[in-house]
Amino acid sequence: MGRLVTGLQTARTVLGDTRFSSLPAGKRSPVKVPGSELSTDALPPGMFVNMDPPEHTRYRRLLSKHFTIRRVRELRPRIQEMTDRLLDEMESADGPVDLVQAFAKPLPTLVTSELLGLPETDRAQFGQHVDVLFSLSSSGEEMQQSMMGLGGMLHALIAAARKDPGPDILGRLTVETDLTDEELLGITIVLLIAGLETTTNMLALGTYALLRHPEQLAALRADWSLMDDAVEELLRYLSVVQIGPIRVAAEDFEFEGQSIRKGEVVTVSLPAANRDPLGFDDPDSLDIRRGATRHVAFGSGPHQCMGHHLARLELSIGYESLLRRFPRLELAVPAEEVGTREMMVTYGVLGLPVRW
Amino acid sequence: MRIEIDKDLCCGAGTCVLLAPDVFDQNDEDGTVILLDATPGAEQRAAVEEAVVRCPTAVISIM
Ligand code: SF4
């Protein structure tokens, strides 16, 4: 059938060993996953998540300059501004609001859209397509449709960037690289999908986790210098990417005393690895002071999330600004009534009614 | 302590830069690592050792 990796160290080793290939051929998921019903030739070139080095390396190098620490740090004031504006709007509504709709979703959408140069008028429709692609309950047909709808929107965006390249990533890529339109399409899809859903779920689910652990929240409120540690611990504890990464053995080989056969499918469970008792003491408890920096919430190896600095920045600005703005933030429903996204690729809350 | 890096395999994640900014930097053109100081002092050892462990492609070594 296949193998499941649950240990932290083995997860890192597998993800760093390119004999475990990322090519789509032969990949099977242990559960039904969006996209698994798409034929692989429907994937445009440029979807570097499904590539091995050296092809993968080429794309990665062209893109990495936009996600270096230096570059990401320059975005801080702008992200703070977007955050504050959303919180202003939230504050002006009285009574409970759904934090997902008011904050957790719009913030990454604004940040990612601006980075890519997606016009405001396209953002709502774009979000709908992404929702379909990420839902485990979408049919193959719905997915194909959303994929096409998204493709159409992005083709128009790429054409506009070629005509009049802006300072955004897409604009820069049209000027500075010789990537084809098809490649740009694949890259853009990867960046959009990676930048949105995961951060949204971390923002909402992380807030929920803190509200459910009042002693942790109080410690953070008493000492904001714990924020970076809190972000790492929430990334570890929540591990929102529930399914995959999935790899396929490219050859027969011995690995950690086991015979791996070519074509065998290996699924890495990031949530399990991040709760490996050999990696973390008392792994099932949330402890923002534990310094949980060695987690694999962003994956590991050459495919490790390229946007990890950006994600960390959005999360630390997001959590801190939210908690500072609303010193008495609390759930507006009993905790057990908050629904979670069990059947989704990325874990999260369906909605998070809060008041202050 | 002497540091070696297999640059070909660096994926430009910049984790090393985050941990030891006096030792590592990131190339503005492709995000790959730039070794600022191949023989840093002992005060950098803990940070560099952490970078060795956390580099996603495990390309940093201490000789
Ligand atoms: S942490 Fe490793 S992969 Fe990332 S920039 Fe440094 S050397 Fe390269």
Side-chain angles (χ1 to χ4, degrees):
Chain A
M1 268 312 291
R3 292 169 190 264
L4 185 70
V5 177
T6 56
L8 180 66
Q9 195 44 54
T10 306
R12 299 181 84 104
T13 314
V14 166
L15 295 174
D17 187 336
T18 47
R19 290 176 300 181
F20 295 104
S21 164
S22 296
L23 298 178
K27 254 191 209 171
R28 273 174 292 107
S29 170
V31 292
K32 177 178 171 273
V33 161
S36 59
E37 299 189 1
L38 297 173
S39 68
T40 50
D41 44 321
L43 294 173
M47 292 205 109
F48 53 92
V49 289
N50 292 316
M51 294 178 191
D52 286 335
E55 290 76 19
H56 169 261
T57 317
R58 172 178 167 248
Y59 289 101
R60 200 59 201 214
R61 296 254 154 104
L62 292 175
L63 288 166
S64 287
K65 66 182 293 184
H66 300 286
F67 296 94
T68 61
I69 296 204
R70 222 183 330 271
R71 188 74 200 87
V72 167
R73 285 191 178 141
E74 288 166 10
L75 300 172
R76 176 179 274 280
R78 186 68 188 117
I79 296 177
Q80 185 68 59
E81 204 178 299
M82 293 172 177
T83 305
D84 291 342
R85 214 178 43 206
L86 288 170
L87 292 173
D88 289 344
E89 278 170 35
M90 190 171 140
E91 201 175 6
S92 68
D94 13 83
V97 303
D98 175 7
L99 192 77
V100 175
Q101 297 305 328
F103 186 63
K105 207 163 183 168
L107 181 59
T109 309
L110 287 171
V111 172
T112 312
S113 302
E114 189 163 300
L115 278 179
L116 283 168
L118 188 73
E120 273 194 72
T121 42
D122 286 352
R123 289 177 193 173
Q125 202 195 346
F126 166 74
Q128 282 163 13
H129 290 316
V130 173
D131 284 348
V132 172
L133 291 172
F134 262 88
S135 167
L136 289 183
S137 58
S138 301
S139 67
E141 197 181 321
E142 285 170 322
M143 292 223 177
Q144 200 74 274
Q145 263 179 11
S146 276
M147 203 68 173
M148 278 172 57
L150 196 60
M153 288 178 69
L154 296 178
H155 267 305
L157 188 66
I158 291 163
R162 284 226 188 269
K163 246 195 179 151
D164 182 15
D168 49 84
I169 295 180
L170 210 47
R172 301 312 330 144
L173 288 174
T174 60
V175 176
E176 293 167 1
T177 71
D178 53 6
L179 291 164
T180 65
D181 285 0
E182 287 300 307
E183 289 174 314
L184 286 174
L185 177 66
I187 287 170
T188 313
I189 291 175
V190 171
L191 295 185
L192 285 170
I193 291 177
L196 294 174
E197 195 78 1
T198 45
T199 320
T200 291
N201 289 317
M202 270 307 297
L203 278 171
L205 196 60
T207 306
Y208 179 55
L210 288 171
L211 291 174
R212 294 205 63 179
H213 292 83
E215 72 300 338
Q216 298 287 317
L217 180 54
L220 184 58
R221 285 191 183 282
D223 179 4
W224 293 108
S225 72
L226 289 172
M227 195 66 235
D228 287 348
D229 286 344
V231 168
E232 296 308 318
E233 173 65 349
L234 289 167
L235 285 163
R236 178 198 76 82
Y237 180 75
L238 300 168
S239 301
V240 295
V241 177
Q242 297 192 87
I243 301 163
I246 301 169
R247 300 287 185 257
V248 181
E251 54 188 88
D252 292 341
F253 60 102
E254 287 294 311
F255 179 81
E256 296 191 355
Q258 303 199 30
S259 301
I260 306 284
R261 285 203 318 276
K262 181 176 176 175
E264 249 186 284
V265 179
V266 178
T267 301
V268 178
S269 170
L270 301 179
N274 279 339
R275 299 230 182 161
D276 179 351
L278 296 176
F280 307 96
D281 289 338
D282 193 10
D284 293 332
S285 70
L286 179 74
D287 176 5
I288 61 170
R289 292 190 189 82
R290 75 161 77 229
T293 51
R294 294 185 180 184
H295 64 74
V296 286
F298 291 110
S300 189
H303 287 275
Q304 182 192 273
C305 174
M306 195 165 44
H308 66 130
H309 297 303
L310 179 62
R312 288 182 161 107
L313 185 64
E314 285 180 60
L315 293 176
S316 70
I317 293 178
Y319 295 138
E320 183 166 344
S321 306
L322 173 75
L323 296 170
R324 278 183 187 265
R325 177 73 67 108
F326 303 111
R328 294 204 308 274
L329 190 75
E330 61 179 12
L331 292 177
V333 295
E336 50 290 350
E337 280 176 26
V338 174
T340 50
R341 298 162 41 107
E342 308 291 339
M343 288 306 290
M344 308 273 184
V345 178
T346 38
Y347 188 52
V349 289
L350 296 169
L352 192 68
V354 292
R355 62 177 170 235
W356 49 86
Chain B
M1 160 170 65
R2 191 165 56 82
I3 299 173
E4 281 193 4
I5 295 185
D6 184 350
K7 263 201 181 178
D8 289 348
L9 296 177
C10 165
C11 71
T15 301
C16 53
V17 189
L18 187 73
L19 295 165
D22 294 333
V23 179
F24 306 102
D25 195 4
Q26 236 176 331
N27 185 327
D28 281 329
E29 286 315 306
D30 63 8
T32 54
V33 63
I34 298 171
L35 190 53
L36 296 175
D37 185 354
T39 52
E43 75 289 351
Q44 294 288 345
R45 179 167 276 274
V48 173
E49 279 174 354
E50 187 66 15
V52 170
V53 176
R54 284 181 57 196
C55 168
T57 43
V59 298
I60 309 172
S61 28
I62 300 178
M63 307 316 270

